[in-house]
Amino acid sequence: MKKALLPLLLLLVSLSIKAQQLPTSPNYQANDRFEQLGTVLPTPNTYRTASGAPGKEYWQQRADYDIKAELDDDNRRITGTETITFYNNSPDDLKYIWMQLDQNLFKKDGIAALSRTGTVNEKGMSTAQLAALNTGRGSSLDPKVEYGYNILSVKDKAGKALPHTINGTMMRIDLPVVLKPGMPYVFSVDWNYNITEYYGRSGYEFFAKDGNANYFIAHWFPRMAPYDDVNGWNHKQFLGQGEFALIFGNYKVAITVPADHVVAASGECQNYAQVLTATQKQRLKQAETSKTPVMIVTQAEAEKAEKRENKNPGKKTWIYKADNVRDFAFASSRKFIWDAMQSDVYKSGRKIWCMSVYPKEGNPLWEQYSTRAVAHTLKSYGARTFEYPYPVAISCHSVAGGGMEYPMISFNGGRPEEDGTYTEAVKYGMIGVIIHEVGHNFFPMIVNSDERQWAWMDEGLNTFCQYLAEKEWDYNFPTRRGEPNQITEYMSSDKSVLSPIMASAENVIGLGPNAYGKPATALNILRETVMGRELFDHAFKEYATRWRFKSPTPADFFRTMEDASGVDLDWFWKGWFYGTEPVDQDLVSVDWFSIDTQNPAIEKEIARKEDARKKMTMSKIQDAKTKGETVVAQDSTMADFYNRYDPFKVTDADKQKYEQYLSTLSESERQLIQENTNFYTLSVKNKGGVPMPVIVKMGFEDGTDSVAVFPAEIWRFNDAQINKVISTKKKVVQWTLDPYQQIADIDTENNSFPRIAQPTRFQIFKQQQQKKAPNPMQMQGAGAGKISTDPKN
Ligand SMILES: [Zn+2]
């Protein structure tokens, strides 16, 4: 469309069309929307290049862990000892090192507790809610229990105590001698802590009916903080909302649990031979080649275990190995049902264990969907990034809603009613959350971004891939995030509650729409509307591949997407990632022009009609009755040449002049005149602020339609209002901007010309509706509601 228009416009000038205006508003808005990001991005260096790829001197730290831990089911407590081999791969001398003590989030005197705000709800509160408000801690914490780490010892390789200082959720260990570049340092930490009730990321879930608990254990051992070329030591406190910044390493973890428990963990179990029964081992063997999940522990067996017929089952130690992971988590319970299949999701034929553990409360949903959703996720994400490199992927059923991700393992909600029925929302919510949490293996478990600072780099990219994986699961999947029209409500919110996507995860109000929905939508729009699938998919894959097992920053993402696609997207990053303005295009007016053909047969007829229109007076109808009674009508001597002269009659002179005019035109110019093309000048206002492509649907008078797309650069001279000429042979009767809701326009009422009123629907009642009678059963349940940190996924 755009290409065709330019030569036409040149022609229009030579043909002296009626009042044709070129879009050359004299008041260009001074704006920098299309200037490059420039110094907003960090200066490239040998660690991170200007192309967005890791530089030739890129480095990252590494820590290997050897952990022995025991779960005390009676006291809900974990005791552990860990030996850490930290490799200083940086070019810097390190006098001290920092470790993360995430469990200290739950300490009474921590920043998280003291900085929590809230108010008493006068409509009523539960005692747990009130206690949470009072202490500043989530109601998943028992006020009588002390939480947070007891650090029992920090010792060097020789067993000598190392001086250490705890600062909230961080601990500094002072080294006896400076750790030189390239050198490893081996030390150990002994610790224990009381496990909280499940709070969104980890904890236990207690089942009063059978007296058992499921444990979901994460951020459970002191971990190395990253030291990198961007932040130095990354020791920003853990306040609960911002997630984790971690480094890769190899793990060996021995987990001792009651002997009747089933354990699932990050990594490959090294001693199934010791911890499984003969029957379970035989089923696992069968699952190695099965195309469908095989029950390793059946529901009947799990239900028998939860009866605890043997009060002293003893202990078992499950040993795991996980290489090149940034973290390690596990789940343990005697209530777990366990199914597995070793799936060949990739063309390479490499097999990956897809598994699920869940209590009977998760069925029938979990046995039907969970493991299959795991395999589907690896396949879908693998196609847009890289092959899932780990040997195992596990989905565990934690509490009812939300989910949480760790390497090779995730804790997911989605629970049917007690009678086994479930709503459509629960079903799709469960499949969606499994796709999302298993998908996190790609972002940030492998493409290892800093979650504490930039939630969008994992949540946004992951939610985008989740959206596509959901559509590949079921074309009618009711996706929650990713469609442009699903983010417009957030983007039309009051400015005081909006943060840019480029904001710290700990400070953002509405992390869901900010870090999940908006970036996922932005990527979707880039793919479908701005770049096109081919350019986008190549660049996105390039980013994932470049930063696989490395730690990218936002600039690395922005630069790679441009570097690999050849599309200048700085304006897009500015509008969508650095700004909070919404998109709102307003089709202010459409002016219609047609060419002056200079053909007297056509133009004189048009002039005749125009003349008649001008001479129309309001007394015309009344005057007509007395037309024959005028002086000129009654006395013929009063008429002369001008009473008979028809100025609109085509004369020979007119014809001659027209012939001569035609002879001056080229073939294509003559054709244009004959086609009687319509020219429309659309005036579009950028009311929202973010410049976006202008997509226009033309509804023609014959009932057909057509869509024209103009790139966002249409706003580069004037970001407030532009004129755009569109020519068509057919007459347009209805104009619509963004007809398929591709650009997240927050107000669609101003998208049509002529305006189409959108009715607000209301109901008419014969009489006032009666208030619904209260349901005593529901009322009883309502008081037991809990506050916890935002449900996280
Ligand atoms: Zn997530």
Side-chain angles (χ1 to χ4, degrees):
M1 200 68 199
K2 189 185 165 198
K3 275 180 187 162
L5 212 56
L6 197 61
L8 273 183
L9 284 174
L10 292 175
L11 259 182
L12 297 181
V13 180
S14 72
L15 292 176
S16 64
I17 283 197
K18 289 176 197 165
Q20 180 58 61
Q21 274 193 334
L22 290 170
T24 52
S25 160
N27 302 316
Y28 292 156
Q29 301 269 324
N31 74 82
D32 66 355
R33 292 188 197 276
F34 287 90
E35 288 300 315
Q36 296 299 287
L37 278 165
T39 53
V40 173
L41 298 184
T43 307
N45 52 45
T46 52
Y47 309 130
R48 292 162 199 278
T49 71
S51 72
K56 63 179 193 292
E57 291 182 78
Y58 176 85
W59 56 270
Q60 62 189 15
Q61 306 292 53
R62 170 181 160 190
D64 293 348
Y65 294 79
D66 190 341
I67 306 172
K68 291 178 183 66
E70 181 166 346
L71 171 68
D72 179 347
D73 186 23
D74 298 323
N75 298 303
R76 313 226 186 285
R77 193 173 171 83
I78 291 198
T79 303
T81 179
E82 64 188 283
T83 300
I84 299 150
T85 307
F86 174 65
Y87 299 87
N88 181 16
N89 294 333
S90 82
D92 309 324
D93 291 352
L94 299 177
K95 271 173 73 180
Y96 46 78
I97 55 179
W98 283 92
M99 294 198 83
Q100 303 174 345
L101 303 181
D102 290 335
Q103 288 297 322
N104 285 359
L105 171 71
F106 306 111
K107 288 222 185 245
K108 280 181 179 144
D109 55 357
I111 295 177
L114 297 177
S115 66
R116 186 181 291 241
T117 53
T119 179
V120 174
N121 185 346
E122 59 186 13
K123 287 179 184 147
M125 297 184 80
S126 70
T127 52
Q129 286 173 329
L130 208 54
L133 205 58
N134 205 22
T135 60
R137 305 191 305 168
S139 58
S140 55
L141 304 187
D142 181 340
K144 297 185 291 295
V145 177
E146 285 291 337
Y147 296 98
Y149 283 111
N150 298 304
I151 299 292
L152 305 177
S153 74
V154 181
K155 293 178 291 196
D156 70 8
K157 205 174 171 181
K160 193 165 168 270
L162 288 168
H164 56 277
T165 304
I166 294 172
N167 169 17
T169 62
M170 296 287 162
M171 174 168 72
R172 191 189 73 233
I173 301 171
D174 297 323
L175 304 179
V177 288
V178 164
L179 183 60
K180 291 284 178 188
M183 297 302 290
Y185 187 71
V186 181
F187 65 104
S188 63
V189 185
D190 292 350
W191 47 268
N192 65 49
Y193 72 85
N194 292 317
I195 304 165
T196 67
E197 199 178 336
Y198 197 87
Y199 83 102
R201 299 194 196 283
S202 68
Y204 66 85
E205 180 183 15
F206 179 66
F207 294 81
K209 267 192 177 172
D210 53 68
N212 294 294
N214 294 342
Y215 293 90
F216 304 96
I217 305 301
H219 52 86
W220 55 289
F221 59 95
R223 297 173 297 188
M224 286 304 304
Y227 177 85
D228 60 34
D229 61 294
V230 179
N231 300 299
W233 283 106
N234 190 334
H235 42 29
K236 196 163 160 43
Q237 293 284 323
F238 183 34
L239 301 182
Q241 184 164 278
E243 295 184 300
F244 309 107
L246 296 160
I247 58 174
F248 289 106
N250 296 338
Y251 285 67
K252 197 182 157 206
V253 183
I255 305 162
T256 301
V257 296
D260 55 356
H261 271 215
V262 166
V263 175
S266 303
E268 280 181 300
C269 184
Q270 303 297 300
N271 67 334
Y272 278 148
Q274 280 83 53
V275 293
L276 299 189
T277 65
T279 314
Q280 289 165 344
K281 277 181 267 188
Q282 181 259 320
R283 290 167 180 167
L284 207 57
K285 187 88 198 142
Q286 191 193 331
E288 277 177 12
T289 52
S290 176
K291 296 273 178 206
T292 53
V294 173
M295 305 307 296
I296 312 301
V297 176
T298 65
Q299 179 160 337
E301 288 161 351
E303 285 185 34
K304 187 168 185 292
E306 71 181 24
K307 292 198 177 89
R308 300 187 74 171
E309 282 157 0
N310 179 359
K311 293 293 172 217
N312 291 304
K315 296 172 185 176
K316 269 184 189 170
T317 299
W318 298 58
I319 297 169
Y320 288 87
K321 209 168 151 306
D323 287 343
N324 218 3
V325 286
R326 78 201 283 267
D327 200 359
F328 189 100
F330 70 94
S332 182
S333 176
R334 62 178 62 83
K335 285 174 66 69
F336 282 158
I337 302 161
W338 175 12
D339 73 50
M341 62 179 181
Q342 206 179 24
S343 176
D344 48 348
V345 290
Y346 301 122
K347 283 195 190 111
S348 69
R350 195 170 59 83
K351 291 208 160 188
I352 298 158
W353 276 111
C354 299
M355 310 202 275
S356 301
V357 297
Y358 40 94
K360 66 175 188 300
E361 285 76 6
N363 270 339
L365 268 181
W366 277 71
E367 63 181 18
Q368 186 175 3
Y369 292 118
S370 178
T371 295
R372 285 177 175 90
V374 171
H376 169 69
T377 306
L378 300 185
K379 191 175 180 187
S380 173
Y381 278 60
R384 8 200 126 265
T385 56
F386 43 77
E387 233 182 66
Y388 180 71
Y390 295 133
V392 187
I394 308 172
S395 164
C396 309
H397 178 35
S398 53
V399 291
M404 187 60 206
E405 71 276 12
Y406 300 98
M408 300 187 227
I409 192 168
S410 55
F411 309 150
N412 305 312
R415 185 168 294 177
E417 307 287 336
E418 273 186 42
D419 64 3
T421 62
Y422 49 83
T423 61
E424 194 182 21
V426 165
K427 172 192 159 180
Y428 284 109
M430 174 233 181
I431 296 170
V433 84
I434 291 173
I435 291 173
H436 181 98
E437 307 308 345
V438 174
H440 268 307
N441 274 295
F442 296 83
F443 310 99
M445 299 304 154
I446 296 165
V447 178
N448 183 21
S449 56
D450 174 357
E451 298 175 274
R452 187 143 310 161
Q453 178 62 37
W454 308 117
W456 69 269
M457 287 196 76
D458 68 303
E459 298 301 353
L461 271 58
N462 183 36
T463 303
F464 163 70
C465 294
Q466 175 196 354
Y467 168 87
L468 297 171
E470 286 175 348
K471 292 289 182 202
E472 287 164 4
W473 175 275
D474 180 345
Y475 187 73
N476 295 315
F477 201 106
T479 54
R480 284 170 61 219
R481 287 170 174 148
E483 289 288 348
N485 62 16
Q486 289 170 321
I487 200 65
T488 51
E489 190 183 335
Y490 171 71
M491 287 175 75
S492 23
S493 310
D494 188 89
K495 273 227 176 334
S496 64
V497 298
L498 289 177
S499 309
I501 293 174
M502 285 293 289
S504 166
E506 289 288 11
N507 315 331
V508 167
I509 303 171
L511 196 68
N514 177 281
Y516 297 61
K518 192 178 169 187
T521 308
L523 296 181
N524 232 336
I525 291 174
L526 274 187
R527 183 171 189 257
E528 299 291 346
T529 306
V530 176
M531 299 169 76
R533 291 183 181 185
E534 199 182 330
L535 288 174
F536 178 92
D537 289 350
H538 173 261
F540 191 77
K541 194 170 197 148
E542 180 67 19
Y543 166 74
T545 313
R546 281 178 173 183
W547 291 97
R548 179 176 175 263
F549 291 120
K550 294 190 172 71
S551 296
T553 63
D556 300 320
F557 176 72
F558 298 146
R559 285 171 165 152
T560 297
M561 289 303 289
E562 298 191 16
D563 184 64
S565 68
V567 182
D568 177 12
L569 298 170
D570 283 31
W571 62 272
F572 190 87
W573 309 134
K574 280 184 182 183
W576 279 83
F577 287 75
Y578 287 88
T580 57
E581 287 174 325
V583 176
D584 181 13
Q585 294 180 359
D586 177 358
L587 184 51
V588 181
S589 63
V590 178
D591 291 326
W592 180 21
F593 301 91
S594 61
I595 297 175
D596 182 342
T597 63
Q598 306 209 22
N599 180 348
I602 295 170
E603 299 304 329
K604 283 205 154 173
E605 202 45 43
I606 292 171
R608 182 195 300 283
K609 282 181 187 156
E610 181 61 14
D611 183 67
R613 191 184 65 81
K614 279 184 187 155
K615 286 177 179 162
M616 184 76 74
T617 63
M618 61 183 173
S619 54
K620 185 98 181 170
I621 296 169
Q622 291 299 327
D623 291 349
K625 293 178 190 164
T626 56
K627 205 175 171 185
E629 295 164 18
T630 63
V631 173
V632 173
Q634 293 188 347
D635 181 355
S636 62
T637 66
M638 290 298 100
D640 73 348
F641 170 80
Y642 290 103
N643 295 86
R644 292 183 293 275
Y645 170 61
D646 177 6
F648 303 110
K649 192 181 163 198
V650 179
T651 64
D652 288 345
D654 290 336
K655 284 178 191 163
Q656 240 173 17
K657 195 177 160 202
Y658 179 54
E659 286 304 321
Q660 203 219 325
Y661 167 67
L662 284 181
S663 70
T664 66
L665 297 182
S666 71
E667 183 56 38
S668 61
E669 286 167 334
R670 272 197 291 274
Q671 201 184 334
L672 181 66
I673 285 173
Q674 274 152 21
E675 277 168 354
N676 201 16
T677 306
N678 299 290
F679 294 89
Y680 296 93
T681 301
L682 281 69
S683 183
V684 185
K685 203 185 249 179
N686 176 14
K687 258 178 100 173
V690 178
M692 289 295 282
V694 175
I695 303 164
V696 191
K697 182 175 164 186
M698 290 158 270
F700 300 112
E701 64 179 350
D702 65 1
T704 61
D705 56 53
S706 163
V707 174
V709 180
F710 306 100
E713 282 82 354
I714 197 169
W715 301 101
R716 76 190 189 280
F717 292 120
N718 186 332
D719 63 344
Q721 188 156 350
I722 45 138
N723 293 329
K724 183 70 189 169
V725 173
I726 295 179
S727 67
T728 70
K729 284 171 196 163
K730 297 182 195 172
K731 276 182 196 154
V732 180
V733 292
Q734 183 64 54
W735 299 86
T736 312
L737 288 180
D738 189 27
Y740 306 117
Q741 304 186 64
Q742 289 171 269
I743 60 166
D745 191 318
I746 60 166
D747 179 7
T748 52
E749 292 221 1
N750 59 19
N751 283 15
S752 53
F753 189 92
R755 290 283 192 260
I756 299 171
Q758 293 175 4
T760 303
R761 294 169 64 80
F762 67 102
Q763 292 183 350
I764 289 175
F765 296 112
K766 278 189 178 163
Q767 59 196 50
Q768 211 172 356
Q769 258 195 330
Q770 288 198 334
K771 273 192 182 160
K772 210 178 154 198
N775 177 342
M777 284 175 72
Q778 282 181 346
M779 295 286 284
Q780 273 185 5
K786 288 177 187 171
I787 315 172
S788 66
T789 37
D790 280 348
K792 165 69 189 87
N793 53 44

